[in-house]
Amino acid sequence: MSDDPAQPRESLRDRLTDGLYGLGWSAVKKLPEPVARTLFRTIADQVWKRRGKSVLRLESNLARVVPGASPARLAELSKAGMRSYMRYWMESFRLPTWSPARIKASIDVTDAHRLTDGLDADRGVILALPHLANWDLAGAWVTTDLKVPFTTVAERLKPETLYDRFVAYREGLGMEVLPHSGGAAFGTLARRLRAGGLVCLVADRDLSASGVEVTFFGDTARMPAGPALLAQQTGALLLPVTLSYDDTPVMKARIHPPVEEPESGDRTEKTSSMTQALADAFAVGIADHPEDWHMLQRLWLADLEPREDRT
């Protein structure tokens, strides 16, 4: 038995978290869809009204995206943002029960030819996305409508059982999921790309200390180097993708022009340039639909400086 009094409490919290997600995947998909939509909008509004750390962090991030916005405008955006975030969860809990036809009908993709042409060229393609709208739905569209398997990376969550749930969920949608931690993921991704395969990476927040500094909405943030490094090492096509919701049940997706490898510079310089180009494409999609950017964590370096209230 541990002498640490926090350990049992942490274990209980982990079990509760895992149990709630398990309940979501087992119960929410059985609800009539109008009931599920109403339930998750109500949850979003209640969370927003509490003005907890996540909501305040979202508003702080949105203040950079929409400079000059009044407090009332930021509150309006954060309320819409929580509704968008809860829509993501409602759809994700129900997505395993959707038919291929339902998935196809739930997404409208602009410039899909950029992806299909790259795959047809057997070059290997990297799709890089920010935390906009529902990236799992976009992935399900790739595996069911295009019938193209792909490989992605998932952050190791605690408890481990929760991470296992997410892996099983995404594998059930046709994705190959690799753990973010450890050095093996990069090599596996590179092999998939050299074989002409597809890799999809959520790439607007660095989870390591080795990210690339970029200018993002006028200030410095750090984003992962992986997409740019993989493109350089394998010759794969690097395509930014942005997503958004509107008042319809259909999510919108846009595949942006490819990020090209610079003709000159060393690997570090090329990686910096390509990651900045990704950040610029992400910024276009986020600025157009700030309420759909589910960034409830600190992102900019100025916000990551040690402080007493750091989360």
Side-chain angles (χ1 to χ4, degrees), residues 93-274:
F93 287 141
R94 299 174 68 85
L95 197 50
T97 68
W98 286 8
S99 67
R102 170 67 190 275
I103 291 171
K104 181 178 181 179
S106 297
I107 183 169
D108 179 20
V109 183
T110 299
D111 291 326
H113 69 90
R114 289 177 171 141
L115 168 59
T116 54
D117 289 352
L119 293 170
D120 289 344
D122 202 30
R123 178 180 174 183
V125 177
I126 305 162
L127 296 181
L129 307 87
H131 286 81
L132 274 169
N134 191 339
W135 46 95
D136 287 326
L137 174 56
W141 170 77
V142 169
T143 59
T144 59
D145 190 47
L146 298 186
K147 295 180 172 55
V148 175
F150 68 86
T151 305
T152 189
V153 174
E155 179 184 359
R156 278 203 173 277
L157 302 171
K158 291 183 179 180
E160 191 74 15
T161 50
L162 180 57
Y163 171 77
D164 292 340
R165 285 187 190 275
F166 271 96
V167 169
Y169 158 62
R170 287 175 173 141
E171 287 180 343
L173 298 175
M175 312 176 193
E176 179 187 21
V177 183
L178 307 176
H180 180 273
S181 57
F186 188 91
T188 301
L189 295 173
R191 287 193 295 273
R192 300 291 183 268
L193 292 168
R194 290 193 185 98
L198 176 64
V199 164
C200 299
L201 300 170
V202 179
D204 58 342
R205 180 169 176 256
D206 180 53
L207 294 174
S208 70
S210 59
V212 177
E213 291 189 6
V214 296
T215 300
F216 195 54
F217 291 102
D219 208 344
T220 304
R222 189 180 291 119
M223 294 188 180
L229 288 172
L230 283 166
Q232 292 175 66
Q233 186 163 315
T234 66
L237 190 67
L238 176 55
L239 296 173
V241 180
T242 56
L243 310 170
S244 63
Y245 289 133
D246 55 20
D247 292 331
T248 74
V250 181
M251 183 178 74
K252 307 303 187 290
R254 177 186 174 190
I255 301 178
H256 295 252
V259 172
E260 303 290 351
E261 180 178 346
E263 294 182 0
S264 61
D266 59 22
R267 188 170 75 165
T268 298
E269 292 168 337
K270 290 181 178 181
T271 300
S272 178
S273 175
M274 296 171 75

Side-chain angles (χ1 to χ4, degrees), residues 58-115:
L58 177 61
E59 284 189 11
S60 178
N61 290 338
L62 289 171
R64 294 179 182 269
V65 174
V66 189
S70 66
R73 173 58 176 155
L74 289 175
E76 179 184 84
L77 279 173
S78 68
K79 184 175 185 178
M82 293 310 298
R83 288 181 172 184
S84 174
Y85 186 48
M86 286 298 124
R87 176 174 169 177
Y88 161 77
W89 281 112
M90 187 271 292
E91 290 178 347
S92 295
F93 287 141
R94 299 174 68 85
L95 197 50
T97 68
W98 286 8
S99 67
R102 170 67 190 275
I103 291 171
K104 181 178 181 179
S106 297
I107 183 169
D108 179 20
V109 183
T110 299
D111 291 326
H113 69 90
R114 289 177 171 141
L115 168 59

